[in-house]
Amino acid sequence: MAADNLEQWLENLPLDEPVDIDGETVFLKLQPQGAELGVYLVPAFTGAALNEAMRSGFQCALDFHAGLSVEGPDLLLTQWLPQVESWLEAAEALESILNQTGMWRALMVSTSTVEQDNRSRSETRVRKLLSGG
């Protein structure tokens, strides 16, 4: 997409409501003194999903200056953008938070997989002990 087309596209995105960008649901909510940029990280999250996100997300939050929040049943990744009043002004942060969303989800999956592997090994060990093996 050419720069002019990208700028026009960003300018036409609605504010204060969710929009789909590259398969992600994102929003830019204007507030006094800036805007909240967010992406739906885990729609209708469970306690386990929240635990995985919290366990894997602290470094991401430090690196990208974004953090977790909850809105109804959804787990969000949000970032405060001071003095931002449009999608065009949020373009760089938007790219960053979309990249962070992918990394965050990958960390959540890898953490969950490692825990499952550890549980499986422990379970196998207990089964061997119980069977006399």
Side-chain angles (χ1 to χ4, degrees), residues 20-38:
D20 182 64
I21 298 177
D22 290 338
E24 298 289 353
T25 303
V26 298
F27 59 86
L28 186 65
K29 293 180 183 176
L30 297 184
Q31 307 285 335
Q33 310 295 319
E36 177 188 19
L37 174 64

Side-chain angles (χ1 to χ4, degrees), residues 99-116:
N99 289 337
Q100 182 183 3
T101 300
M103 290 190 325
W104 204 302
R105 285 194 184 119
L107 284 171
M108 288 170 60
V109 169
S110 67
T111 300
S112 179
T113 302
V114 166
E115 285 184 1
Q116 286 175 345

Side-chain angles (χ1 to χ4, degrees), residues 31-54:
Q31 307 285 335
Q33 310 295 319
E36 177 188 19
L37 174 64
V39 61
Y40 287 79
L41 184 63
V42 182
F45 72 95
T46 63
L50 178 59
N51 287 338
E52 292 303 324
M54 291 177 65

Side-chain angles (χ1 to χ4, degrees), residues 8 11 15 29 31 70-71 73 90 99 105 126 130-131 133:
Q8 183 66 39
E11 288 176 2
L15 297 168
K29 293 180 183 176
Q31 307 285 335
V70 174
E71 183 176 285
N99 289 337
R105 285 194 184 119
V126 169
L130 291 174
S131 66

Side-chain angles (χ1 to χ4, degrees), residues 10 21 73 90 124:
L10 285 169
I21 298 177
T124 302

Side-chain angles (χ1 to χ4, degrees), residues 50-128:
L50 178 59
N51 287 338
E52 292 303 324
M54 291 177 65
R55 201 178 349 252
S56 57
F58 288 107
Q59 189 60 46
C60 285
L62 290 172
D63 291 343
F64 290 93
H65 308 290
L68 295 174
S69 64
V70 174
E71 183 176 285
D74 303 318
L75 185 61
L76 310 173
L77 186 59
T78 60
Q79 180 178 2
W80 175 250
L81 304 175
Q83 308 305 315
V84 167
E85 297 178 351
S86 71
W87 279 105
L88 188 57
E89 293 175 332
E92 188 175 321
L94 174 62
E95 182 179 359
S96 176
I97 205 166
L98 289 173
N99 289 337
Q100 182 183 3
T101 300
M103 290 190 325
W104 204 302
R105 285 194 184 119
L107 284 171
M108 288 170 60
V109 169
S110 67
T111 300
S112 179
T113 302
V114 166
E115 285 184 1
Q116 286 175 345
D117 288 347
N118 288 340
R119 280 189 294 250
S120 295
R121 279 185 243 144
S122 295
E123 183 178 333
T124 302
R125 195 172 331 121
V126 169
R127 287 182 187 271
K128 282 183 181 180

